[in-house]
Amino acid sequence: MATGRRIQDEPHERRAKSLIVIVVCCLAFSVLPANLYRLQVKNAAENIRLSNENSMREQIVLPPRGRILDRNGNELARNRPAYSICVLPYRLRNSQDVIQSLCKIRDASGAVVFDSATLAQQFRKANSRKFDLSRIKEDVSIDVVSIVEERYMELPGIVVETESRREYPYGASAFHVVGYMGEIPEKEFDTLRNQDYYWGDLMGRSGLERSYESVMRGKCGREYLEVNAYGKSLGAVESIQKIDPVYGNDLYLSLDINLQMAAEQAFPDSLKGAVVALDPRNGDVLVMFSNPSVDPNIFSAAMSVKSKTWAAVASDRNLPLNNRAIAGVYPPGSTFKVLSGLAGLEAGSINKDSRLPSACGGSFKFGSRIAKCHKQTGHGSLSYISAIQYSCNVYFYQLGLRIGDTRINRYAQMFGLGDITGIDLPGEKAGYLSGEKAYNERFASRNWRWTQGLVMDLAIGQQQVLTPLQLALMVGGMGNGKNVYQPHLLNEERNRDGILVSQKRPHVKSRLELNQYTLDVTRDALAAVVRPGGTGSRAAVPGIAVGGKTGSAQNPHSDLSHALFIACAPVDDPVIAVAVVVENAGGGGAVAAPVAGALLKYFFSETKEGKIVYQKYNPEGQKPKRPLVALAPAPAAAATDGGPAGGGADEAAPADIGTSPPAQQGGANE
Amino acid sequence: MDDLRRKRHFDFPLLLAALALWVFGIFLVYSATYIHESGPLVGIYKQQILWVAMALLIVTLIISIPARIIFKGAYIFYAVSLILLVVAIASGVTAKGAERWILIGGFKIQPSEFAKVGLLLALAKHLSERPVSLYKPSTFIVPVLLILVPFGLVLKQPDLGTAIVFCVMALPMFYWSNLTLLDVFYIVSPLISLLLSAIPLLLTFNTGSSWGVFEAVPWGAFFVVVIALLYFTRVPIFIWIGVVGANIATATITTVVWGSMLKDYQKMRITSFMNPQADPFGSGYQVIQSKVAIGSGHVFGKGYLQGTQTRLSFLPEQHTDFIFSVLGEQFGIVGCSLVILLFLVLIIRGLMITHNCRNRFINLVAIGSSAILAFHIFVNIAMTLGMTPVTGLPLPFLSYGGSFTMTVAILVGLLLNARVTDHDF
């Protein structure tokens, strides 16, 4: 079987070649003894000193995390010292005695702090790492700490450790903005380990805690400690320079926590939804509230408390962790009519007095479809201003058909709708502007096609879905008239000593190129809504011209529509723009407008910026007799103006458009 | 006739060296981990005893397989090891970001280990039938492809150490398969270019003082030597172009990558072996601790189970990649030298198989196996002494680990097999 090729018959060549390989090998290996000699004989003394007498251990020094403060310097997130009782097993003499002594300790209320069974188990566990501290009780009160420290003679091996925990003084009020901290998820650890993170470290998991994690965290310092053979620290190794930690920076927000709490107070407790207020002159977010909320302090509580509450929060069907202000998408309903109107004015299709061919008789016939208005008896023939003021659907059906979806959406995009605003929070949703192309793409799998009739729904805000933040941006832009600013929460970043590190400059998201006439008419219309008789009169603030628009958006989840209200004030040169969304609550005028009203009243009477503007419009001596701020509790859903949308309540909410056949869509708005 | 008489000779020195090292390894693994009273490392030495027992079984099994069968099954083994690699990448579990394994019958298997054997056999079979020649570049196509497939798969894991093993083991096999030393030099020259152009950069980064124009001197001098050799050996034009091009390209790429693509922390990691004190907390930690452990062993060591560095768990990975530090601390320069000597006996005996064997396949397997073992041993020990970067290659016979012990067993089995088997097929 021998094949010539596979046989090597030259013994000399084989020998020579293998000898060469052997020589190369030996040459390479000869480097090793040379190095061994250097380490083990020449430098042995130094190495023996380092290893035998002393050994080194790395100590990570975690700097305190930066704080979060609102625009007036109120602390929304800070650090508090927390104390843990730990055990250092190698120093325990008689663990039974120690357990007995510990079990005698009672806290201020007289309750026992430790129980012997748990302690025995913890001691056993701790024993496997004799020279490391193991926690036996997290986050104990200061009086327990003082007892333990007094009795240190009885408690050898028991050590009190001080650490820093995150504290949120305003609790649930600012949860969605501030966010919370949690342990690094396993998935992210692989990339984070290169960036100074260690297993078990806490990091921001949502809100600003997450988006400004790198700013607030700072940089870990490191020290090399000499420890003796028993693990006791003998101080820093002097030959190796220690690295000082870099402190995290503080965040100064645009948010006004007092205004936020005013909004929270005005918001119906049991209902879901969101309130956003921003300054249209620069994009400062003043209020961002989402209900239901969570107290973020539970996330930094002791492990035993945390695991219980966390389970409840995570499985809550109301999704309290969701920030509805940026991640909740709702059909804008009638609030969108102002934008349709703006598109019509800009196109020259209407002016402020225009009456459209069909007067409102409670419904509008298009082809074979009868689309209803929320007022069954009809509004009659209306001018544009009145059509906004009374929120007549029939007027906007006709306007929508006249100007078409493309034109409406062009202006919607100009105001930043249907796209993420780029706010400095994680998890923002873009929403969805409908229209022929977008609709056909979105429903291609269902074979639904865009029809002309859907423009009617688009014009009254029943086709698209938007976030409350986008709505606030829209109404603020209409009042401002020149620019739409990117909304942001962070105003300034300051270091620990209060020195400014960086400052957020207003960033123009889009320039509004609109005719002055369009802006004037739009503002007149918005102001008319809030005047007595308009659907949004409950948002009125005495002494200030508020412009607003109500909305009651149909949605398939409930018979009750979402209540919406958008407002800006003062309407001709706004310093504040507000959007309120209350899920499944009924009419916007009845439920959402009062929330906005309370917020605006508080703003103009209690905040620094608001007072200045109020003074400008109401010079000394013309003060209203009764104080502005009289926070009325939010009324229940049903009410007079703009109550639950009557008329043809079709299941036509793009919020969950998948469940409703498109052909049946018929608008129904106040 | 001389050959025939000797070929049934069993290689006892090789077997004894391997046995001694394996047994010694068990004791070292025990001393590296006995301090742990709980956790994953408890009783790990018992596991190692089991691995070594299995290793002996595998050695016996392989000795009893006729080399003819190994020759015939080479490509199949190669294919199976590749399939396992792909399965591991598609479904495998990651440990600390790099190693991947798959579970087979309750055993964790690292396919990248078996791919070393797979590639060895496949290369040996191919080269034994079709030798390579620098003058016929087409002869390199298949061998390079054979290497590239597992190389790419392992690199994707990512396991740079193993990927490098694939390349290094091929070199002496190419050499055996009809290349001259000069040919090998031409093949390696781009790598030398890389090193020489990188060294000034590394030193500059480490010391902070720039060399200025002298940065180009080491590589420049080498390049002149290459040109001169090419000129005097009168090689064909395509070798000229290939060698010169490859050298210029690697030198340029090195400079560009270092200058504008690597981040400082990556550079730090690369240079940490040269100057661990610069980053004693991060990448330099293991190296410092390992050097202190070995250095404090002095001449005779601190005695078995007496290593303070080891006992206080200062050394990470001390039962796997850094087992040599445990040896150094407890047995000193005497123990280290003895072990290195045993390793050398093993490698030299392996290479000497070729003296009396006419079968090209068996010779190639012997050369390749010895090369794999030698490379692992050298790189691992050099790493624990702080001479080379931390690559994650374990130390044959001594390091804890199932798949790797099995791989070493297969290699030892192949070496022993070469002596007892029938050489004509």
Side-chain angles (χ1 to χ4, degrees), chain A residues 25 52 61 72 96 191 208 246 269 287 305 326 328 391 411 465 489 567 599 608 616 651:
Chain A
C25 251
N52 251 2
V61 186
N72 300 315
Q96 277 314 312
T191 47
L208 293 168
V246 179
D269 281 342
V287 169
V305 182
I326 57 166
S391 198
Y411 291 99
V465 287
L489 279 156
L599 176 67
K608 205 167 59 190
K616 207 176 95 191
E651 39 177 23

Side-chain angles (χ1 to χ4, degrees), chain A residues 1-3 5-11 13-22 24-26 28-33 35-41 43-45 47-52 54-59 125 127-131 190 193-194 222-224 227-231 239-243, chain B residues 3 37-38 71 96-97 128-131 175-179 181 265 269 277 279-282 285 288-289 291-292 294-299 302 308-309 311-312 314 324 328-329 332-333 336-337 340 343-344 347-348 351-352 354-361 363 374 377-378 381-382 385 387 423-425:
Chain A
M1 276 288 285
T3 48
R5 275 203 130 152
R6 288 194 215 131
I7 294 300
Q8 295 178 295
D9 262 332
E10 329 74 2
E13 193 202 322
R14 289 199 321 250
R15 216 166 270 258
K17 275 202 165 180
S18 84
L19 274 178
I20 283 174
V21 179
I22 290 172
V24 169
C25 251
C26 289
F29 271 62
S30 66
V31 185
L32 300 177
N35 266 277
L36 279 174
Y37 176 80
R38 193 170 50 82
L39 273 180
Q40 295 185 306
V41 180
N43 297 336
N47 283 323
I48 289 172
R49 187 190 70 79
L50 278 171
S51 125
N52 251 2
N54 310 294
S55 296
M56 295 180 283
R57 180 173 289 178
E58 184 182 12
Q59 179 93 7
K125 233 187 200 170
N127 233 1
S128 63
R129 309 188 64 176
K130 276 191 183 310
F131 304 112
D190 270 356
R193 64 192 310 171
N194 288 332
R222 286 137 177 212
E223 252 181 319
Y224 232 16
V227 280
N228 68 8
Y230 299 102
S239 60
I240 301 174
Q241 215 178 358
K242 80 172 195 183
I243 303 171
Chain B
D3 270 6
E37 288 167 23
S38 72
F71 176 76
K96 289 181 244 118
S128 69
E129 287 168 331
R130 291 171 217 284
Y175 172 58
W176 192 263
S177 164
N178 255 356
L179 293 192
L181 264 187
Y265 79 89
R269 193 161 299 172
Q277 305 294 339
D279 184 18
F281 310 105
Y285 180 80
I288 291 181
Q289 294 297 352
K291 285 169 80 172
V292 168
I294 295 173
S296 64
H298 205 29
V299 178
K302 296 172 186 170
T308 49
Q309 289 286 107
R311 210 175 62 210
L312 287 174
F314 285 123
F324 192 79
E329 185 179 26
I333 198 166
C336 289
S337 310
I340 292 177
F343 279 138
L344 270 180
I347 294 162
I348 294 173
L351 292 171
M352 275 168 60
T354 54
H355 290 193
N356 300 317
C357 171
R358 299 188 312 142
N359 185 298
R360 193 185 280 273
F361 172 72
N363 284 339
I377 294 164
F378 180 79
I381 297 181
L385 296 176
M387 295 155 56
H423 290 173
D424 290 330
F425 56 85

Side-chain angles (χ1 to χ4, degrees), chain B residues 38-361:
Chain B
S38 72
L41 296 183
V42 173
I44 213 168
Y45 70 97
K46 293 182 196 153
Q47 190 71 52
Q48 184 67 7
I49 293 177
L50 188 74
W51 294 134
V52 170
M54 278 178 71
L56 295 180
L57 212 69
I58 285 182
V59 171
T60 336
L61 194 78
I62 292 184
I63 294 175
S64 56
I65 300 175
R68 194 173 55 251
I69 308 280
I70 296 175
F71 176 76
K72 286 200 171 133
Y75 288 144
I76 299 172
F77 196 96
Y78 176 75
V80 170
S81 70
L82 285 193
I83 291 168
L84 288 177
L85 257 185
V86 172
V87 170
I89 285 168
S91 70
V93 194
T94 321
K96 289 181 244 118
E99 306 154 31
R100 282 177 187 253
W101 62 65
I102 47 177
L103 278 171
I104 296 182
F107 284 108
K108 280 184 200 159
I109 291 183
Q110 270 175 268
S112 57
E113 290 301 336
F114 297 107
K116 292 172 190 166
V117 181
L119 179 61
L120 166 73
L121 294 179
L123 261 186
K125 177 162 181 176
H126 179 84
L127 293 177
S128 69
E129 287 168 331
R130 291 171 217 284
V132 286
S133 162
L134 214 53
Y135 299 90
K136 269 166 75 187
S138 59
T139 54
F140 278 98
I141 294 174
V142 179
V144 166
L145 278 180
L146 283 175
I147 298 168
L148 269 186
V149 176
F151 182 85
L153 289 173
V154 165
L155 210 57
K156 199 177 157 354
Q157 293 195 356
D159 182 354
L160 183 63
T162 304
I164 293 174
V165 171
F166 292 149
C167 301
V168 170
M169 67 186 263
L171 216 56
M173 291 173 81
F174 284 160
Y175 172 58
W176 192 263
S177 164
N178 255 356
L179 293 192
T180 63
L181 264 187
L182 202 63
D183 296 341
V184 174
F185 174 77
Y186 288 142
I187 293 178
V188 198
S189 65
L191 198 75
I192 301 175
S193 274
L194 190 151
L195 285 177
L196 288 179
S197 55
I199 284 172
L201 298 172
L202 297 180
L203 289 176
T204 303
F205 182 77
N206 241 351
T207 57
S209 59
S210 175
W211 289 28
V213 279
F214 294 105
E215 273 186 11
V217 169
W219 179 76
F222 173 73
F223 192 64
V224 171
V225 171
V226 172
I227 299 276
L229 273 175
L230 285 169
Y231 179 77
F232 288 118
T233 52
R234 297 170 195 283
V235 293
I237 187 76
F238 63 86
I239 297 184
W240 257 98
I241 297 170
V243 172
V244 170
N247 277 286
I248 292 177
T250 47
T252 317
I253 290 170
T254 309
T255 317
V256 170
V257 166
W258 185 267
S260 53
M261 282 163 75
L262 288 182
K263 303 235 164 56
D264 267 1
Y265 79 89
Q266 289 168 319
K267 292 180 183 176
M268 197 103 101
R269 193 161 299 172
I270 295 171
T271 56
S272 71
F273 78 94
M274 295 164 67
N275 182 14
Q277 305 294 339
D279 184 18
F281 310 105
S283 37
Y285 180 80
Q286 289 174 317
V287 178
I288 291 181
Q289 294 297 352
S290 168
K291 285 169 80 172
V292 168
I294 295 173
S296 64
H298 205 29
V299 178
F300 296 105
K302 296 172 186 170
Y304 187 55
L305 299 186
Q306 298 303 313
T308 49
Q309 289 286 107
T310 320
R311 210 175 62 210
L312 287 174
S313 315
F314 285 123
L315 272 176
E317 314 285 344
Q318 55 193 10
H319 61 296
T320 55
D321 294 358
F322 281 89
I323 194 87
F324 192 79
S325 330
V326 178
L327 168 76
E329 185 179 26
Q330 302 185 2
F331 296 96
I333 198 166
V334 175
C336 289
S337 310
L338 205 72
V339 165
I340 292 177
L341 215 63
L342 281 175
F343 279 138
L344 270 180
V345 167
L346 205 104
I347 294 162
I348 294 173
R349 289 300 297 186
L351 292 171
M352 275 168 60
I353 287 168
T354 54
H355 290 193
N356 300 317
C357 171
R358 299 188 312 142
N359 185 298
R360 193 185 280 273
F361 172 72

Side-chain angles (χ1 to χ4, degrees), chain B residues 26-37:
Chain B
I26 293 171
F27 282 98
L28 285 179
V29 168
Y30 176 77
S31 88
T33 56
Y34 80 101
I35 192 77
H36 297 266
E37 288 167 23

Side-chain angles (χ1 to χ4, degrees), chain A residues 211-251:
Chain A
S211 44
Y212 291 107
E213 166 72 18
S214 57
V215 173
M216 286 190 284
R217 180 178 165 90
K219 278 213 172 77
C220 290
R222 286 137 177 212
E223 252 181 319
Y224 232 16
L225 297 180
E226 273 186 308
V227 280
N228 68 8
Y230 299 102
K232 189 174 183 309
S233 168
L234 304 175
V237 179
E238 273 161 29
S239 60
I240 301 174
Q241 215 178 358
K242 80 172 195 183
I243 303 171
D244 288 320
V246 179
Y247 293 104
N249 288 339
D250 293 341
L251 306 184

Side-chain angles (χ1 to χ4, degrees), chain A residues 111-132:
Chain A
V112 191
V113 181
F114 299 98
D115 77 284
S116 58
T118 324
L119 280 179
Q121 198 191 344
Q122 283 168 331
F123 279 24
R124 254 201 313 282
K125 233 187 200 170
N127 233 1
S128 63
R129 309 188 64 176
K130 276 191 183 310
F131 304 112
D132 290 333

